[in-house]
Amino acid sequence: MMDHAALRAILPQRSPMLLLDRVVEVVPGERLTAVKAVTGAEPCYRHLPPDAAADDLAYPTALLVESLGQAAAILWFLGRPDERSGRLPLLAGLRDVALTGAAYPGDLVRHEVRLDQILDGVAFAVGEIWVGERRICTVGSLLAVVRPPSSLAVREPEPKERDDDRHHQPVRATA
Amino acid sequence: MTDTISRYEQLREIVAEVLELEPEEVTDTGGFIEDYEADSLRAIEILARIEKKYKIEIPQSQLPRMRNLKAVYEVVAQYANWD
């Protein structure tokens, strides 16, 4: 089992985008079970109108699959710690996704992830998302990549702020 | 010869699935990027599926070569030792 501190040591994400609470079971490089508790205090519910209906409180699908992706990233890096080496994991693609339910505040979301294939810097996984005995989502293929932080940096208007290879330019002297 | 044709068609199916096209839409020389709007991740997906199906390893350095179906076949034939 891995507690939240152990997750933070592996994943670069932080609140409010660290969307996993605990790993309950893991076979490194093979499969992993992780959980995330959904609460009414999540930032995604902050701007709901006072008269929001029950359906409006379904946990957003984008966050649900990102959470699954973070579980896949843990599994990937536990098997091959060298893969990260300062780079950031990104959820890059999802195929064959079936949504069969939703999670609501108070639910404990459980991710069942299996690592399918690893190439240099790319991982493929399959996953299921459960709430208790209800399977709420299946993902036939989840594609994750690692990228250097510089490739994700917010582009600043000043050329000297850019560190992307494509933008290497001599700094012009100004009069 | 029959092997060559069926393997070629298998590869066409893999490429079509990843690029979300019908197999008949994938021509031998249609450029994945230029003609089918693929990006580098789609190319990696094609590579990964081929590696899994044929249980071979193709270095990612070969990706730039795998620009169309014909080129994919040539790369796979080389690494899978197809005659």
Side-chain angles (χ1 to χ4, degrees), chain A residues 92 95 116-117 119-120 124, chain B residues 18 20 45 48-49 52 60:
Chain A
R95 279 190 189 276
D116 188 26
Q117 204 176 355
L119 278 68
D120 181 34
F124 294 84
Chain B
V18 172
E20 292 168 12
E45 268 193 277
R49 286 188 187 211
K52 198 177 172 187
Q60 283 197 49

Side-chain angles (χ1 to χ4, degrees), chain A residues 111-157:
Chain A
H111 301 299
E112 307 272 359
V113 194
R114 195 162 48 75
L115 213 49
D116 188 26
Q117 204 176 355
I118 294 178
L119 278 68
D120 181 34
V122 186
F124 294 84
V126 294
E128 296 183 345
I129 307 176
W130 293 76
V131 173
E133 297 302 305
R134 279 191 302 129
R135 185 173 60 200
I136 62 169
C137 179
T138 57
V139 174
S141 178
L142 182 154
L143 169 58
V145 298
V146 281
R147 289 286 181 267
S150 61
S151 70
L152 304 177
V154 176
R155 299 269 183 270
E156 298 291 336

Side-chain angles (χ1 to χ4, degrees), chain B residues 9-25:
Chain B
E9 292 315 308
Q10 283 172 0
L11 290 176
R12 195 190 305 276
E13 269 176 39
I14 290 172
V15 168
E17 219 175 280
V18 172
L19 300 183
E20 292 168 12
L21 297 168
E22 294 301 323
E24 51 272 24
E25 292 178 272

Side-chain angles (χ1 to χ4, degrees), chain A residues 77-90:
Chain A
F77 300 141
L78 278 178
R80 305 181 37 158
D82 53 308
E83 283 281 273
R84 254 207 74 191
S85 57
R87 298 178 294 181
L88 302 173
L90 291 175

Side-chain angles (χ1 to χ4, degrees), chain B residues 23-41:
Chain B
E24 51 272 24
E25 292 178 272
V26 179
T27 64
D28 295 354
T29 55
F32 297 161
I33 293 167
E34 305 86 331
D35 299 315
Y36 307 131
E37 293 167 0
D39 56 24
S40 58
L41 281 175

